[in-house]
Amino acid sequence: MLRFIAPLFALCLALPAHASNDSYIARLLNKPVPGGVAVVDLGASAQAPQASYQGRPVLVVKEQDARWLAIVGVPLTIKPGSQQITAKTANGTRTLTFTVASKQYPEQRITLKNQRQVNPNPADLKRIDGELAEQISAYRSFTPGTPSNLLLDKPVSGPLSSKFGVRRFFNGEERNPHAGLDFAVPAGTPIKSPAAGKVILIGNYFFNGNTVFVDHGQGFISMFCHMSKIDVKVGQTVTRGGVVGRVGSTGRATGPHMHWNVSLNDARVDPAIFIGAFQP
Ligand code: ZN
């Protein structure tokens, strides 16, 4: 039997690693651009392969027909071209490639009354550094378990006001690109968890204001910020649709809106992909 499997295995190595077109998950989520998602076919095996990208563990899910798929978050900073992941099974470790296409992101100019939110003072910078470390550590959490749903529910219903990836200039100075998606909804609107999960971090941050991190499993993490009120505690389990807090304008915000980040393998990716609203 092994004699027949070995040549097949070798053949697999030579094939491009994109998931087949009839894969439901790939059709919906495979948007391999900077700030997007690459769905990589890991083949069939009894046990789930362990996949990693840039040294970080990657979300692996089972497609209906028993094939395993890696759902890889592509950081905004990645240049178009070939990227590699590794997949480890009982049979050994394989390297698989996927191709990142280019995507242009628009610019946005924002005026803030509070110049300290553009040029923080030394005490603010110290606070910001600590808060950043805390949040990065949350994004790097990797807990076992399959997410309740990969297609996410909208945390609020309302029009989108600022897209993911937009290059932002505050009072004329370029700062980090927009790492999430904004919804224009009134202050006080309940924010619902887009999938089941566990609250892994809450905080009141310089830029993000009142913030909640929900771990949906295997590094698939939602973050909500600028909230007026937080309704959950760290360690609490939230159901799909469970309320985590209320919309507000705390932190660096020009008015009430709901800002939502989605992260995979510590890469912030476009939440629009997961609600069927991605625009190439
Ligand atoms: Zn935002």
Side-chain angles (χ1 to χ4, degrees), residues 134-135 137-139 141-143 191-205 210-217 220-225 227 229-245:
E134 194 171 291
Q135 293 175 83
S137 159
Y139 281 126
S141 306
F142 197 85
T143 50
I191 300 171
K192 296 173 182 175
S193 187
K198 190 175 178 181
V199 178
I200 54 168
L201 180 65
I202 62 173
N204 181 2
Y205 300 126
N210 291 323
T211 301
V212 171
F213 282 73
V214 178
D215 177 4
H216 303 303
F220 189 31
I221 290 164
S222 281
M223 183 274 262
F224 312 96
C225 60
M227 296 160 78
K229 184 169 175 280
I230 293 173
D231 289 331
V232 288
K233 298 210 168 356
V234 170
Q236 189 178 327
T237 299
V238 289
T239 55
R240 179 178 181 176
V243 173
V244 297

Side-chain angles (χ1 to χ4, degrees), residues 12 20 41-45 61-69:
C12 287
S20 58
D41 191 344
L42 304 179
S45 57
V61 296
K62 203 179 204 175
E63 180 72 286
Q64 293 146 333
D65 61 358
R67 300 187 75 77
W68 298 96
L69 302 175

Side-chain angles (χ1 to χ4, degrees), residues 168 178 180-182 226 257 259:
R168 295 181 306 175
H178 195 221
L181 192 59
D182 289 349
H226 308 311
H257 68 279
H259 174 110

